[in-house]
Amino acid sequence: MGLFDIFRKKKNNVEPESTTTSESLSESQSESLSQSNSETTTSSALTQPVMEQVGLVDEHEADEWSKALDKKSEAIHDLPESESESESESESEIEVERNEQQVYDEGLKKSRTGFAERFNRFLANFRTVDEDFFEDLEETLVGADVGFDMAIKISDELREEVKLANAKRKEYVRDVIIKKMVDLYEADGVNEDTQMHFAPNGSTTVILFVGVNGVGKTTTIGKLASKYQQAGKSVLLAAADTFRAGATKQLQEWGERVNVPVVAGKEKADPASVVFEAVAKARDEHYDILFVDTAGRLQNNVNLMQELEKMKRIIQREIPDAPHEVLLVLDATTGQNALQQAKLFKDSSDVTGIVLTKMDGTAKGGIVFAIRNEMHLPVKWIGFGEKASDLREFKPDEFVYGLFKELVS
Ligand SMILES: Nc1nc2c(ncn2[C@@H]2O[C@H](COP(=O)(O)OP(=O)(O)OP(=O)(O)O)[C@@H](O)[C@H]2O)c(=O)[nH]1
Ligand SMILES: [Mg+2]
C-alpha cells in the first residue's frame, strides 16, 4: 500500500489520535496537576511515531497499521443499535469530541492550508532536480517559516539522496522532502518536555507569562484560567503589567468573565509589589495556581528583562521552587520575528515553554519546525482565537500530521 492510500485512509475513515483532542485538560495534564508532582516528565515518547502518523512507513508496517485503523473504524461505525445508557453516553462523548476536533481543525485551517499551498506550488514547478530546484525548495521552506537553518539542512541532505536515486518523479521527490522534515522534527524533539509542571501537593503553582507586547499574554492567561478553573482548581491572577494603561483592566475583565479573582496595583505601581502581594495571597490562602501577567514593553528591552528578573526573585523569595513555569508567548503570525523574540527571552528568562498564539490567522505552520530546531523549547499550548475556549494543549505529532495531510489530494 502506497503512502497516499494510507493518508487517505487515515483522512477519510478514521483519525484515531485526532479525535482524542478534548476541550478540557488532557488526561496527562490533569493527572500531573492532581498528583501535583514537580518531577520532570518527558513526553518524547510519541503516542505513535510521527513517521507512522504521516504514513511514511514501510509496506509491512503500513499494512499492519491500516488493519488496525480498519478495526478501529469498524468499532466506531458498528456500534450496536441498542440504546443502553452507557452507550448513548459514550456516543455523546464521541460527538462532543468530534465537535471539539472540528473547532480545532477550523482554527488551524489557514495555517495548514497555507503551508500545503506553498508546498504544492513548489511541486507544480518541478521539472528536474537541478540547482534551481534546490533554490526553490529553500525559498519555499523559508517562506513557510520552517527557519533558515532547517531549510538549508533539508536541502543539503536531499542533494545527495535525490541525486543518488536519480529522481525523476515528482511524487518521489515530495515524499523524500516530507520524510526528511518529519525525521528532523522527530530527532530534534527527543527528550522534549511538553508537560506542564506543578508544585508538590498542597502548594501553589506559579506560572509567569512573558513576551513582547500584543502577542497574547493576557488573553492566554484568561483562557488558561478558565480551563484550570473548570477543572476544579482554585486560580488567582496577578496583574503585574502596570506599565500599559488599560492592561490591569483587561486582566480584570478576564477575571470577571471566567470567574477568577485578580490581584491588581495602582497604575504605574511597581510591578514587583503586585507580584509580592499576589504570591503571598496565593500561598497564604492556598490557591492551586497563580498566573502572573507581565508587561510586553517597557522603556527598552534591558529594562524589561531586569523587571522580569526582579519578579522572579520576589516569587522565589516567597515560594522557593517557583515559578514552576515561565511561558513565553509568541505570535505565530510574526514568523521569524517571533524566533528573534524567543532568542531574546530564552537567553535571559529561563523560559520553560512556549505558547503559540494566533494560529487562526496568517501564521505559517512551519514555525513549529523552526522553534524546535533552533530554540529547543517545547511548545506547550496553541491559541487559535480570542475566546476562552480557543486554546489547546499542543500535540507535536498530531500537529505535523495536520500540516502534511493537506498535501494529499
Ligand atoms: N485571532 C487571535 N487573536 C488573539 C489570540 N490571542 C490573542 N489575540 C488577540 O491579540 C490581541 C493582543 O492580545 P493580548 O492578550 O492583549 O496581548 P498581550 O501580550 O497581553 O499584550 P500587552 O499587554 O500589550 O503586552 C488581542 O486583541 C487579543 O484578542 C489568538 O490566538 N488568535
Ligand atoms: Mg497584556
Side-chain angles (χ1 to χ4, degrees):
M1 181 183 293
L3 164 68
F4 302 108
D5 293 328
I6 301 167
F7 259 134
R8 271 191 215 109
K9 205 159 181 101
K10 188 167 159 60
K11 214 163 126 178
N12 300 328
N13 276 359
V14 58
E15 298 190 35
E17 62 295 296
S18 57
T19 52
T20 58
T21 308
S22 129
E23 156 62 5
S24 53
L25 295 177
S26 74
E27 242 170 61
S28 59
Q29 299 212 338
S30 307
E31 238 170 55
S32 64
L33 179 54
S34 59
Q35 283 170 358
S36 290
N37 95 49
S38 58
E39 276 168 35
T40 302
T41 45
T42 55
S43 69
S44 61
L46 301 173
T47 46
Q48 199 175 11
V50 177
M51 291 307 303
E52 205 174 305
Q53 284 207 33
V54 297
L56 294 158
V57 289
D58 72 30
E59 258 179 41
H60 172 70
E61 275 179 278
D63 243 10
E64 290 300 305
W65 189 42
S66 102
K67 275 182 209 149
L69 284 184
D70 278 344
K71 266 198 192 148
K72 189 148 185 173
S73 171
E74 278 162 24
I76 290 175
H77 294 300
D78 300 345
L79 283 175
E81 299 278 286
S82 67
E83 285 272 14
S84 83
E85 210 172 288
S86 66
E87 275 162 0
S88 58
E89 246 174 46
S90 71
E91 271 178 25
S92 70
E93 271 170 28
I94 291 174
E95 189 54 31
V96 169
E97 281 176 2
R98 275 206 190 110
N99 292 341
E100 274 305 313
Q101 189 60 32
Q102 263 176 11
V103 173
Y104 179 79
D105 282 342
E106 202 50 45
L108 297 185
K109 203 168 169 183
K110 263 197 201 161
S111 50
R112 278 176 175 167
T113 50
F115 185 88
E117 276 166 15
R118 206 169 275 273
F119 208 77
N120 277 331
R121 268 203 303 276
F122 159 72
L123 286 169
N125 288 332
F126 174 80
R127 297 286 172 270
T128 175
V129 178
D130 53 13
E131 269 316 301
D132 284 349
F133 164 85
F134 286 108
E135 253 177 49
D136 282 357
L137 173 65
E138 285 160 21
E139 218 170 90
T140 302
L141 293 175
V142 169
D145 270 354
V146 306
F148 190 71
D149 290 0
M150 187 159 178
I152 299 295
K153 214 188 260 180
I154 289 169
S155 167
D156 282 350
E157 285 190 18
L158 269 176
R159 247 166 235 273
E160 288 316 305
E161 193 160 325
V162 170
K163 270 183 196 157
L164 280 179
N166 192 18
K168 295 217 167 54
R169 278 179 52 238
K170 186 188 290 193
E171 288 74 16
Y172 173 80
V173 172
R174 171 181 62 188
D175 294 357
V176 176
I177 296 170
I178 293 177
K179 183 167 170 10
K180 282 270 163 259
M181 290 181 76
V182 175
D183 277 352
L184 281 174
Y185 183 71
E186 198 172 12
D188 286 337
V190 172
N191 294 329
E192 187 175 88
D193 177 12
T194 56
Q195 295 292 302
M196 287 286 279
H197 293 182
F198 298 95
N201 228 344
S203 13
T204 300
T205 296
V206 182
I207 302 179
L208 187 64
F209 286 77
V210 300
V212 304
N213 61 304
V215 289
K217 294 180 294 299
T218 308
T219 308
T220 302
I221 290 176
K223 291 171 177 177
L224 278 175
S226 162
K227 210 172 260 292
Y228 283 104
Q229 210 252 18
Q230 278 176 24
K233 302 296 157 192
S234 56
V235 177
L236 183 67
L237 308 183
D241 178 0
T242 54
F243 186 77
R244 182 170 66 81
T248 295
K249 188 156 174 281
Q250 191 190 350
L251 192 71
Q252 283 168 329
E253 279 167 7
W254 267 108
E256 274 166 36
R257 201 174 310 156
V258 303
N259 203 20
V260 161
V262 180
V263 174
K266 292 198 182 69
E267 214 180 299
K268 305 288 171 205
D270 180 0
S273 68
V274 178
V275 171
F276 172 75
E277 199 187 318
V279 176
K281 180 180 169 74
R283 186 198 50 208
D284 298 345
E285 297 178 21
H286 306 293
Y287 277 90
D288 292 317
I289 312 179
L290 170 67
F291 290 116
V292 181
D293 193 15
T294 65
R297 177 162 45 200
L298 290 186
Q299 291 80 359
N300 58 52
N301 281 337
V302 177
N303 280 8
L304 182 59
M305 297 307 156
Q306 284 174 350
E307 192 64 63
L308 292 174
E309 257 315 300
K310 188 169 161 195
M311 283 187 205
K312 264 180 76 178
R313 278 201 307 274
I314 286 169
I315 293 170
Q316 271 158 1
R317 214 168 56 201
E318 302 305 308
I319 304 178
D321 62 339
H324 303 86
E325 292 279 353
V326 178
L327 296 181
L328 170 63
V329 183
L330 296 177
D331 174 346
T333 63
T334 62
Q336 295 308 296
N337 211 338
L339 277 190
Q340 291 310 317
Q341 292 162 20
K343 284 176 184 152
L344 180 77
F345 281 92
K346 190 186 178 193
D347 288 345
S348 51
S349 317
D350 296 331
V351 174
T352 57
I354 285 180
V355 181
L356 257 189
T357 62
K358 311 194 192 182
M359 289 299 288
D360 53 315
T362 54
K364 299 161 196 148
I367 184 118
V368 299
F369 290 96
I371 289 173
R372 192 178 257 191
N373 183 249
E374 293 181 32
M375 304 309 307
H376 296 290
L377 280 173
V379 177
K380 296 197 172 179
W381 299 94
I382 185 161
F384 49 89
E386 298 184 272
K387 296 195 305 293
S389 55
D390 295 334
L391 185 86
R392 290 286 185 289
E393 181 191 343
F394 182 67
K395 298 198 173 142
D397 40 353
E398 186 190 308
F399 183 84
V400 168
Y401 164 67
L403 284 185
F404 288 121
K405 79 173 173 183
E406 300 292 339
L407 291 168
V408 186
S409 49

